[in-house]
């Protein structure tokens, strides 16, 4: 699968840059997220690296037969109507596994949203794992694994630093990306 995904990336002109030695346990902050194409591209990129990440997806997408596909690809359904703590649920998964990478798009929508959701940050804090900053830059046609950040507890300060790392990244739909 790794070589097939590398072939696909070469075919479409994309490359993987930045860090290549990622932690076995981490939250991957992936932005920008302005198109439905971001998910398949992200999956191809990560498989080309020889890795598998899980991702959160609205439970509404978990209908037959899509649920089988999303589960196979690493999808974890999220029921937004339930008041249970997703942060605690994810931290529990991290504590039970030796290898778990969870990719999260902080915008939580494909529309422009400068008020990023902080769930990815709180999951990393609760699970005591680092955050990998990953950018899908359509301008450069590169998936850039920019930096690894350990949350300090200064939520606003850390989020501002994370957003700054996406300053020059070009989204598939630039008008829908806001930091």
């Amino acid at each position: 699968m790794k070589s097939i995904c590398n072939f696909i990336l070469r075919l479409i002109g994309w490359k993987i840059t930045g860090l290549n030695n990622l932690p076995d346990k981490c939250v991957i902050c992936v932005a920008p997220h302005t198109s439905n194409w971001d998910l398949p591209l992200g999956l191809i990129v990560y498989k080309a690296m020889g890795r598998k990440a899980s991702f959160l997806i609205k439970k509404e997408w978990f209908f037959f037969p899509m649920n089988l596909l999303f589960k196979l690809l690493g999808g974890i359904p999220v029921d937004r109507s339930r008041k249970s703590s997703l942060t605690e649920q994810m931290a529990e998964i991290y504590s039970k596994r030796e290898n778990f990478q969870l990719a999260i798009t902080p915008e939580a929508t494909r529309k422009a949203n400068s008020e990023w959701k902080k769930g990815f940050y709180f999951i990393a804090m609760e699970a005591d794992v680092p955050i990998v900053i990953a950018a899908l830059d359509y301008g450069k046609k590169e998936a850039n694994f920019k930096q690894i950040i350990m949350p300090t507890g200064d939520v606003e300060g850390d989020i501002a630093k994370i957003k700054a790392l996406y300053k020059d990244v070009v989204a598939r739909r630039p008008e829908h990306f806001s930091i």
Side-chain angles (χ1 to χ4, degrees):
M1 185 58 94
K2 181 178 176 179
S3 41
I4 292 170
C5 289
N6 274 303
F7 173 76
I8 292 169
L9 288 177
R10 280 193 307 276
L11 190 67
I12 62 175
W14 276 73
K15 62 185 176 213
I16 301 168
T17 61
L19 307 170
N20 57 16
N21 190 18
L22 303 180
D24 290 336
K25 291 183 179 185
C26 61
V27 171
I28 306 165
C29 176
V30 184
H33 178 45
T34 63
S35 164
N36 282 334
W37 287 107
D38 299 333
L39 176 62
L41 178 60
L43 290 169
I44 291 169
V45 163
Y46 221 56
K47 285 285 186 195
M49 296 172 72
R51 297 177 159 268
K52 180 180 180 180
S54 294
F55 57 93
L56 302 175
I57 187 166
K58 288 189 264 186
K59 76 167 178 68
E60 288 79 12
W61 281 95
F62 271 76
F63 58 86
F64 184 81
M66 297 301 292
N67 61 328
L68 301 174
L69 175 64
F70 285 127
K71 188 168 178 105
L72 176 71
L73 294 173
I76 299 172
V78 175
D79 184 351
R80 292 180 177 180
S81 67
R82 292 184 56 205
K83 295 295 178 191
S84 60
S85 172
L86 184 60
T87 300
E88 290 173 9
Q89 290 174 35
M90 293 299 106
E92 187 176 330
I93 292 173
Y94 278 101
S95 72
K96 291 179 178 178
R97 296 190 189 175
E98 287 185 34
N99 190 324
F100 185 66
Q101 295 135 6
L102 180 66
I104 299 179
T105 57
E107 301 118 308
T109 181
R110 290 175 307 279
K111 297 179 181 138
N113 179 19
S114 61
E115 294 299 318
W116 286 9
K117 303 288 183 186
K118 297 176 182 86
F120 76 97
Y121 185 88
F122 294 120
I123 290 169
M125 281 282 298
E126 182 79 20
D128 194 28
V129 298
I131 299 169
V132 173
I133 309 304
L136 294 176
D137 191 326
Y138 284 82
K140 295 177 182 174
K141 285 193 160 188
E142 69 180 23
N144 187 346
F145 292 84
K146 294 176 161 282
Q147 194 170 334
I148 298 173
I149 295 174
M150 197 65 193
T152 65
D154 175 11
V155 181
E156 297 308 320
D158 287 348
I159 296 287
K161 288 176 190 170
I162 291 168
K163 282 183 169 185
L165 293 168
Y166 292 99
K167 183 177 66 119
D168 297 322
V169 175
V170 177
R172 186 164 203 284
R173 293 192 169 138
E175 71 277 11
H176 290 196
F177 184 53
S178 175
I179 52 173

